[in-house]
Amino acid sequence: MTGQEIRDFVERLGTFQTGPSSRNFFSTELPENAARRHNVTRYFEQMLERRPAVLLVGEAPGYRGMTVTGVPFTNKALISGHDPFGMFGPDNGYLLPPEVLTVPAEPTATVMWNVLADLDFLPLLWSAYPFHPHQPGRTQSNRTPSMPEIAAGTLFWQDLARLFKIDSVVAVGNIGHRSVTASGLDVPKIRHPAHGGKELFRRGLQDLLDTGAIRRSQ
């Protein structure tokens, strides 16, 4: 993946038109989204240097997580620099969107990164639907993405897998698995870390690493 390919990918995110009850927090139509486009670009730049071999595909961004920060499975604490890998924060080129001051931190993001740090494993992270599906009229809520939304998101994770030369895709939870298998791939599924799933998520990743089903890096 080159710098131009990163910019082209982020531009596609920014110009994607979401349907009803779904928010594109990268949209180029709103100036406040520029910080999120900047942050996801910075994330891709860092991950390009780390050469991940694995792509984890989750469900969709939540209103307290990526919807605020622009980076998959992060929250305001992580993007501010309180992350176990030392990747984020203003010193590493990240911007703090205004919502960081008002929206509570998404707990699942912290669980995700703590487990990855415990395993010394840093895959590329993404979602089956990379925009924010919410309840009608309630932007500060979450909902499961619909099948058309999942289908619309497929090309994004597929392009990331191609651009980063990913060896293995792992589905995180049922929605991620539904998206990946619908594309014709037979991939492992592990428990999503949300709602008390931390230990099963950790065990699933650990088993895949221990058996050699996935590699730590290229």
Side-chain angles (χ1 to χ4, degrees), residues 12-13 16 18 22-26 60-61 129-133 156:
R12 284 176 48 216
L13 289 172
F16 184 84
T18 57
S22 181
R23 175 189 171 199
N24 182 355
F25 48 88
F26 293 119
Y129 182 63
F131 307 101
H132 177 223
F156 288 101

Side-chain angles (χ1 to χ4, degrees), residues 92-164:
N92 287 313
Y94 285 86
L95 301 178
L96 304 182
E99 295 93 332
V100 164
L101 300 176
T102 59
V103 177
E106 166 58 60
T108 301
T110 300
V111 170
M112 165 71 79
W113 285 87
N114 285 343
V115 169
L116 295 178
D118 288 346
L119 298 177
D120 191 25
F121 175 53
L122 189 56
L124 185 66
L125 305 177
W126 201 245
S127 299
Y129 182 63
F131 307 101
H132 177 223
H134 57 81
Q135 300 296 331
R138 296 172 53 207
T139 56
Q140 291 201 345
S141 67
N142 299 322
R143 66 169 172 81
T144 301
S146 66
M147 288 305 297
E149 287 170 336
I150 294 170
T154 298
L155 189 59
F156 288 101
W157 68 255
Q158 287 179 329
D159 280 353
L160 286 180
R162 175 180 58 83
L163 293 169
F164 277 88

Side-chain angles (χ1 to χ4, degrees), residues 21 23 30 46 62 64 88 104 114 126 130-131 133 136 165 179 182-183 191-192:
S21 301
R23 175 189 171 199
L30 297 175
Q46 288 178 306
R64 296 184 296 174
F88 302 126
N114 285 343
W126 201 245
F131 307 101
K165 298 179 171 60
S179 172
S183 72
R191 174 69 155 83
H192 197 286

